[in-house]
Amino acid sequence: MSKITRRNFINGTLLAAGATMLPYGCTSDRVLKILDHLYYPPALTGLRGSHPGSNTHAHKRAWDKKSDWGSTTKLKEEYDLIVVGGGISGLSAAYFYLQKHGTNKKVLILDNHDDFGGHAKRNEHTINGNTRLTYGGSQTLVDPQSSGKLIEDLFTDLGINLERFKSAYDLGFFKRNNLSAVTYFNKETFGEDKVVKHSFCNYPNYVEGLPGAKISNEEAVQQAPLSEKGKKQLLIVLKGGLHKIKVPKEELQEYISKNSYYDYLKKTLGVDDPGLMKMARNSGLDWASSGTDLMTIAAAKSCGALGFAPKAVYDENNPYIHHFPDGNATLSRSLVKKMIPQIGKGNNAEELVLSKFHYDELDKSSNNTRIRLNSTVVNVRHSGDPKNSSEVFVNYINDSKSYIVKGKGVVMACYNMMIPHIVSGLPLEQEEALRLQMKSPLQYTTVGLKNWKAIKDIGMGLAMSPGNMHQAVLMDFPVSMGGYEYTKTPNDPCVIQMISCPYGTVGMPRKEQFREARHKMLSLQFNDYEIEIRNHLNGMFSNDLFNFDRDVESITVNRWAHGYAVGGPENSTKIGRQPFGRITIANSDSAPNADALVAVKMAYRAVNELG
Ligand SMILES: Cc1cc2nc3c(=O)[nH]c(=O)nc-3n(C[C@H](O)[C@H](O)[C@H](O)COP(=O)(O)OP(=O)(O)OC[C@H]3O[C@@H](n4cnc5c(N)ncnc54)[C@H](O)[C@@H]3O)c2cc1C
């Protein structure tokens, strides 16, 4: 069996994929790296998301308290606004600033990644010359119709037409192809590789148009590769047992909002089968940013964990269909296009779907708005007393060289818990509050397949996969727009998504679990992921129809060590996000709410706080 050596060299490096960064002296006072015309990060595969090298300087600052960055070049550039972080919030901050103060203002956006968009990144997989689009993180606009006038106006200005999704999202795709929610039990955990046409939880219900279980609870339990005792217990759990809780009816709500789901499974329902507990643990996946071991019964119920009957996640007035082929990357790209029109062709969001962006336009000295990638901010300080200072100095590292640039104001649109490590002189209470903010790790792996015959064969729209690193595998959302066509037949190439919520040791507090999982995530190499994905797909699909080496074209592992905004103790987020002199704070963390449109709103607030 041939090893996929062609992928071993794409381990998150730029050069190997044909994109290059050339040394470039653009003004007499600096030598920066700029992005040449081949630089095109969306097409990179291998380790992406928080790609290797992206966190190096931030971690040196936060973990090792590094403050001496060697000789530092003071740039002659001066900006009206400097934005730290080029995710949706940072891009929106720049956009709102220009809207408020005029498009002739000078804005610089700095981001540590090699691509803009933060979590809202585009992944491209080219399979036999056919480019498939997908998302590396932030994927769908959640409930955009009711997010208010600010968002409505933004969408009008960017040319995002929500009506368009009604026809662009192919609601009949899954049913037409007989694909539904299934569960894959792997041999290592359950003793045999088996696919059962039932999801045993509510998770797959958010995928609009995806049919649920194809067989009854009883049939599914019989087919599940559990011990006889485990099967009996699974049936009890599926039948639901809230009525078995021995408290007066009027006290039930309070009871379930205070008591642990794990205790409920173990003590009230008598579950002790280890396989069943594995199924339960990740049955909420990312809905509540923790494994079910940390949930109350009420939380587990509301995220549809094992044992809670399927219910619609979104109603018909609020369908989960607002998905561009590259997810919310289209929102990032639309914002960039608005501020740097020469970045690519297209007059509205739909026309941008297939528009190839020219990254060498991002940081041209002739731009009013410049986006500087691969630039980690390590220090932000006022000149003099923050109360009446009119200047802020921003120190960043690009290609291991240290630069300082000056702005009249700064919006920190980066991870909020990083701010105390970067911003000098913060009031103690604010600093402590910011340190308490949490983010959950999350991983979206996208896999380019030459065809999906094996997927059709097992009827998989989405496969829950207890015991695997990727606890869910799904066909991408069936959306065609802007000339981009979603995969049509099982003979055609497609991209699948593999979702991993890497929580830590059961029983540990949430913050510790995040830390443990984050550490493990960052310590793995591409090869480790490839082995995991190989075993997962080989075990799930028929060997007659699927051959990993033959059928897998590309793998992109989008690791988000700092993923969903989770927040901290009560009020800490609000205390943390207070303006500090000429520095204000945005990012979805400052809400806290892991939501693209909230990230936009936080940017609007932060820009207005600057005055
Ligand atoms: C896997 C995943 C899936 C998601 N799916 C959805 C979804 O479907 N719908 C939805 O609404 N939301 C979703 N989210 C939530 C997502 O966080 C928001 O949608 C949105 O993208 C957040 O934008 P942001 O700008 O606030 O933060 P980010 O996207 O995190 O952007 C912040 C940027 O600042 C950079 N930065 C940090 N420190 C520094 C520094 N020192 N110097 C320079 N730059 C720095 C970061 O690297 C990052 O690029 C998802 C998140 C993840 C991780």
Side-chain angles (χ1 to χ4, degrees), residues 532-551:
E532 174 67 34
I533 295 159
R534 175 186 289 267
N535 291 341
H536 193 152
L537 300 184
N538 276 339
M540 189 162 65
F541 297 142
S542 142
N543 291 343
D544 292 340
L545 291 172
F546 180 77
N547 176 307
F548 187 89
D549 292 314
R550 185 194 61 207
D551 297 328

Side-chain angles (χ1 to χ4, degrees), residues 86-100:
I88 285 177
S89 201
L91 296 169
S92 305
Y95 167 89
F96 288 128
Y97 186 89
L98 295 170
Q99 219 184 31
K100 183 171 178 176

Side-chain angles (χ1 to χ4, degrees), residues 17 31 207 217 381 453 481 587:
V31 180
V207 181
N217 284 355
R381 68 181 166 81
K453 289 185 251 185
M481 58 160 54
N587 193 289

